Amino acid sequence: MSAPASLPTRGNAVLTNLRLVDGVTPEPQDGLALVIEDGLIADVAAAAFVPASVASVDMGGAFVMPGLVNMHNHFSLSLPGPGGDAVSALGPHDLALYMADAARRTLLAGVTTVRSVAEKAGADFALRRAIEAGQVPGPRIRTAGRALCCTGGHGHDTDDTIECDGADAFARGVRSQVALGADLIKLMISGGIAGEHEQISTAQLTRDEMSAAITTAHAWGRKVTAHAGPSAVIAEAVALGLDCVEHGYALTPEVARLMAEHGTALVPTLVVTRAQAFFDDLGVPPWMQQRSLGAAERHLESFRHALDAGVEVLLGSDMPPYWAFEGTSAIVRELEHMQAGGLSATEVIRAATAGPARWLGDEERYGMLRPGLSADLIAMREDPTASVGALRTLDFVMASGVIVRDDRDGRSA
């Protein structure tokens, strides 16, 4: 008897009877089949030319689109309050298992790639290796490792940050995460909604500190993203070469135009200022709830300034993407907020698939459904190009050609 195999990491399949939303063409395409070999899309063929002898998966007329890419992910998120305290109290072994379960649930929610932007204790690197080896199920991981903050800065009280002070310390902080295998670098350049002794408007890094971190990261071929709220600190960081802004709670038209001119992307995480039910689930204290919910109107205005200026916006939930929230998942609510805020459904799809892949330098690996790219895809009963609310009917997930979820007609993968 042979030893049990690891989980499959690449699969073969032919998907037929589908309506294709490939991430490029603005409207669904009929009469096509996806031929998948060794985890990659080998062909997007006319269905009539697929031999009857080839075993196929009948998608029942479902809409098929690329898997989601969540650009603001935390498998080890711990907000103030009893729920977050329980995560922070986990030992290293319990934390690894907790994060592995979060990865599994994230994949089942239709997120086939994540960009983690601050995880605890370096466990994200071990989790990435385990997923790639087929030891545990989960999405493709691109990670920043631990984020860099100043002493007492945003996130300083959890194990997903490293406190640095001065330009040399921030340069060393960047190198320490690159040495572990970080794909990008995350900076905390201002306060936020989760820091009790700060405000969203609190500037936290000096110009020299930001410059040292960004210059060092770029020298090592890594992009830099930053947790940031106020417009003045964002403008300074953008001028220094910042590649992406997280949240951007208080952008002005002028700073949004500067971001567009420099090619700095925005991951707005609109759901985090509209998340009272989630906060209630975790027992988040009143001061944080008031700060978050009180920022919602300005946050949406900031998002619209970015759209008006032509800033590239990318999907990011910050909340666990799989969290049951307002009748769906947190990731779907974020997509719905993006559409309600001014993006068309087709633009939201691009911001959730091809756009993130391009930012991550992976546009030739995934993010669209075309030959040569990974067969990462999701399917749903309704048309996402009409409304991204169609993702509420998501019932099928495939990662690298492997079916990991199939709830159609009561089936399970």
Side-chain angles (χ1 to χ4, degrees):
M1 180 178 178
S2 61
S6 60
L7 295 171
T9 58
R10 290 178 175 270
N12 303 300
V14 177
L15 306 186
T16 61
N17 190 16
L18 55 85
R19 304 194 68 190
L20 184 65
V21 180
D22 62 8
V24 182
T25 308
E27 295 183 355
Q29 303 170 71
D30 295 320
L32 296 174
L34 291 175
V35 181
I36 298 162
E37 297 176 358
D38 195 27
L40 302 178
I41 299 171
D43 196 8
V44 180
F49 292 99
V50 176
S53 60
V54 174
S56 62
V57 178
D58 186 332
M59 298 301 294
F63 293 86
V64 174
M65 63 172 275
L68 302 175
V69 182
N70 186 19
M71 293 284 277
H72 195 116
N73 190 79
H74 302 284
F75 290 125
S76 55
L77 179 68
S78 57
L79 297 176
D85 291 346
V87 177
S88 294
L90 294 173
H93 310 302
D94 292 321
L95 177 65
L97 292 171
Y98 177 87
M99 291 175 63
D101 180 61
R104 177 188 63 85
R105 297 167 74 181
T106 294
L107 180 60
L108 295 179
V111 177
T112 52
T113 300
V114 299
R115 186 187 69 162
S116 284
V117 285
E119 300 288 7
K120 290 179 172 53
D124 45 322
F125 299 110
L127 179 59
R128 182 176 65 186
R129 291 191 295 271
I131 291 171
E132 291 174 350
Q135 295 167 343
V136 296
R140 179 184 296 104
I141 295 176
R142 300 289 182 257
T143 188
R146 296 165 71 187
L148 309 183
C149 68
C150 66
T151 295
H154 187 72
H156 75 281
D157 51 351
T158 67
D159 195 27
D160 56 12
T161 59
I162 301 174
E163 289 180 298
C164 308
D165 291 299
D168 288 347
F170 271 91
R172 286 195 299 272
V174 168
R175 295 182 186 121
S176 75
Q177 297 312 291
V178 171
L180 292 172
D183 303 293
L184 65 141
I185 296 297
K186 166 83 173 290
L187 304 177
M188 306 295 204
I189 66 175
S190 81
I193 64 175
E196 185 173 8
H197 305 298
E198 64 188 31
Q199 298 298 320
I200 291 174
S201 59
T202 306
Q204 296 189 348
L205 269 62
T206 67
R207 180 181 180 86
D208 286 347
E209 289 170 336
M210 289 191 290
S211 178
I214 293 170
T215 300
T216 303
H218 286 174
W220 286 82
R222 269 54 170 194
K223 289 184 175 180
V224 182
T225 194
H227 164 99
S231 57
V233 70
I234 291 172
E236 187 171 36
V238 169
L240 291 170
L242 184 68
D243 301 292
C244 188
V245 170
E246 309 297 308
H247 314 302
Y249 297 117
L251 293 178
T252 63
E254 294 76 18
V255 174
R257 286 195 292 270
L258 183 69
M259 289 175 62
E261 290 167 4
H262 285 257
T264 308
L266 172 68
V267 179
T269 68
L270 295 171
V271 75
V272 301
T273 53
R274 292 157 176 80
Q276 183 167 357
F278 173 62
F279 295 152
D280 290 342
D281 287 343
L282 297 181
V284 167
W287 64 262
M288 180 177 164
Q289 294 212 28
Q290 292 165 6
R291 187 183 299 173
S292 172
L293 302 176
E297 184 175 348
R298 183 66 181 88
H299 193 186
L300 182 59
E301 180 184 355
S302 178
F303 176 68
R304 289 174 172 155
H305 289 326
L307 298 187
D308 290 343
V311 173
E312 181 176 27
V313 297
L314 306 170
L315 170 66
S317 65
D318 202 353
M319 284 176 59
Y322 53 81
W323 202 270
F325 184 65
E326 297 182 347
T328 183
S329 65
I331 198 76
V332 173
R333 284 302 287 136
E334 178 66 22
L335 292 166
E336 291 174 335
H337 285 312
M338 292 171 76
Q339 184 173 1
L343 284 177
S344 70
T346 300
E347 290 169 332
V348 175
I349 291 171
R350 188 176 303 114
T353 57
R358 184 207 57 77
W359 192 95
L360 289 163
D362 288 340
E363 61 268 37
E364 296 304 319
R365 300 187 65 182
Y366 57 85
M368 294 175 284
L369 299 181
R370 69 181 192 191
L373 273 63
S374 183
D376 298 342
L377 56 89
I378 56 179
M380 61 219 70
R381 297 186 301 275
E382 298 178 9
D383 182 1
T385 67
S387 169
V388 293
L391 274 86
R392 289 175 177 251
T393 68
L394 185 153
D395 55 13
F396 182 96
V397 180
M398 173 179 278
S400 296
V402 178
I403 298 172
V404 296
R405 174 182 171 187
D406 188 355
D407 300 339
R408 298 172 301 148
D409 303 323
R411 288 174 284 188
S412 60

